[in-house]
Amino acid sequence: MVKKSIHEINGRIRDGSVNVVTAEEMVDIVGELGAEGAAKEVDVVTTGTFGAMCSSGVWLNFGHSEPPIRIGKLWLNDVEAYSGVAAVDAYIGATQQSQSKGIEYGGAHVIEDLIRGNSIDLHGTSPGTDCYPRKVIDTTINIYDLNQAIMLNPRNSYQKYNAATNSTNHTLHTYMGSLLPHHGNVTYSGAGVLSPMHNDPNYETIGTGTRIFLGGTQGYIVGEGTQHSPAAGFGTLMLKGDLKNMSSEYIRAATFEGYGTSLYVGMGIPIPILNEDLAKATAITDDDIVTNLLDYGIPSRDRPVLRTVTYGELRSGSIDINGKEVPTSPMSSFKKSRQIANELKDWIKAGEFFVSMPVERLPTTTPCNAMKQSNVDLLVVDIMSSDVTTIHEDAGFHDAAKIIMEKQFNHLPVVDSGNHLVGIVTAWDISKAVAKDEHDLVKDIMTRKVVTTSPDEAVDISAFKLDSNNVSALPVIDSNKHVVGIVTSDDISKLLARRH
Amino acid sequence: MMIKINMAADIVTTPILAEAIIETGSLLNISQAHFDPIHGEVVAEIPSDQLVKIRDALVSRGAEVVVLNTPIHRDEEECVECGACISVCPVKVFSFADDWSIEADSDKCIQCGTCLKMCPHNALALGQ
Ligand code: SF4
Ligand code: SF4
């Protein structure tokens, strides 16, 4: 059994005899030498990842103004920062959006601008007190004017993340990028073989105090991240580092269309190979890392798992979903992850970076619970109208017009011979058809892309669907695509009126 | 080269593409098509030296032909080479090289704009 100490390894870093390889290179070394041989041979394995980490932000200290102010509300380039702490400290979060520019510019962009040395407009307000009489401050600052600019990411570098796809009939814009209709593509995140936490899954060397690569400089692990869920393989880390030494090469602002802003963060963890178990763990390959493919078309916390998938499959460029080859896209950059693992390797080889043991190990059993919701949400079944008439797709559109008139509905779901929902006809579709005097069958004039709901969906989700798809009714269907009711924007408006 | 063919309601149901192909003998490779009862839009790849012939054949049948000559532009400074744009492009303009750099075969671009919305770093633009 090989046993090495951190002191021994740091001694080798100091005298230049250290053997460092990246996690990608380690796969072959363990393959050739076995875990024991590799543990003797290799002292440190470096990892790296570069991807969207929404849960990121920076603590800023501006120094005192004259006369002094205790800032209560603060905007940096029109992006609100949290300043409800002491007088001139603030935390700018990556996902906060500019009040004037929306998702085009957010906290992440302020952070990138700071790193680039650009000027930032600061506007702060305060109620004014005897010791802090000033009520408003307006100035321009840059990173060099700040006393501290400390990046603190409450939840960073997920051990692994779910892959995403979309079963609906319209494109979804998510923090996993654009998801095309009918499982048109799959997106995934994470660096697989180079992924930091996957290379030390038992958190032997990763914990509070571990020195790491963060944003192009040395940083530290503060401890477990929020939503740390180790049992499920979804561990997370809280990280800190000095923004003043970071580089825009490794910290980049991002905007996800239809979602908001986020920050791409580059980080890497060195894994000191203290024993052969660690050598074995760092030999993990993309094919060994399994994650779930989730359907983001279901706007619920419990998104259905379509299948499990390995990072090896995801990185091959396409995967199979129900017999169909679907192209995959990573959201994180493997090239940059590799660059980070190599840069960290160079630092260690050059004697500029020493490895450390955690002063406290990360918890391995923390649960990650869902939010406690004390108010019971209303479901579609509670408000839908079950008195719904449908029409066959081969019926004439005059029949549809008659039903709409008699029943005083505005929306008529269309079904096929198996009674499955295939479309919807509205009074508007009928008017159009009459005006053009062109078609006579319902199936020629109906809208085929129907947005639907199910009886057990929360009313809030239906309201969101109505709004975001710009429609005024949703047929309610069961798992066999049979129409069991309909919900209209009127039903929801009435409900909301009662709530307020 | 890529062209976009617009057809108004009155000709959308007539086989003008087939007629133009027969008349000119030119190969026209359709890469995207959208039809509704009032309008049709087809994006096709054609041999560059046959543009005039094909355009005349289509225009004489009432279509409108636009040459798509401003393909996708990728700002290499902004791009972090994540590859998010790969899976949404209908004509597979983007791909990974062996070293996981992004390669873009812009000549194939049909200017649909889908990748612009996908790119988290605003590195893609059309019409430059
Ligand atoms: S605009 Fe983008 S997505 Fe569309 S064809 Fe061109 S490269 Fe592909
Ligand atoms: S999505 Fe944008 S940043 Fe990512 S590879 Fe494509 S162009 Fe580059």
Side-chain angles (χ1 to χ4, degrees), chain A residues 50 112 116 173 176-178 180 184-188 252-257 264 315 327-336 338 436 438-439 444, chain B residues 9 37-38 75-90 92 96-102 114-122:
Chain A
F50 181 84
E112 185 180 329
R116 290 183 185 272
H173 296 290
M176 294 297 284
S178 310
L180 304 176
N185 66 337
V186 166
T187 61
Y188 65 99
R252 283 293 186 79
T255 296
F256 288 95
E257 175 84 16
Y264 271 59
R315 281 185 61 200
T328 57
S329 264
M331 303 303 295
S332 7
S333 169
F334 192 74
K335 192 175 171 198
K336 285 222 175 240
R338 202 184 242 178
K436 284 206 233 103
E438 261 180 356
H439 304 283
D444 298 325
Chain B
I38 51 164
D75 181 336
E76 290 181 20
E77 268 294 297
E78 289 296 332
C79 172
V80 301
E81 309 194 70
C82 59
C85 46
I86 294 176
S87 71
V88 292
C89 175
K92 304 278 166 277
F96 278 125
D98 287 345
D99 69 348
W100 296 90
S101 301
I102 278 284
T114 315
C115 60
L116 269 58
K117 289 188 171 178
M118 182 62 156
C119 175
H121 297 277
N122 209 5

Side-chain angles (χ1 to χ4, degrees), chain A residues 19-26 29 42-47 341 345:
Chain A
N19 186 13
V20 198
V21 301
T22 69
E24 222 182 339
E25 294 162 340
M26 188 65 166
I29 298 176
V42 176
D43 300 312
V44 186
V45 169
T46 60
T47 62
K345 173 171 146 180

Side-chain angles (χ1 to χ4, degrees), chain A residues 66 148 165 188 226 249-250 284 289 306-307 353 368 382 421 455 486 489:
Chain A
E66 180 58 35
Q148 279 80 26
T165 185
Y188 65 99
T226 53
E249 178 83 15
Y250 298 113
I284 191 162
I289 308 173
L306 295 177
R307 55 166 286 193
F353 186 107
C368 179
D382 302 323
L421 180 74
I486 195 157
S489 44

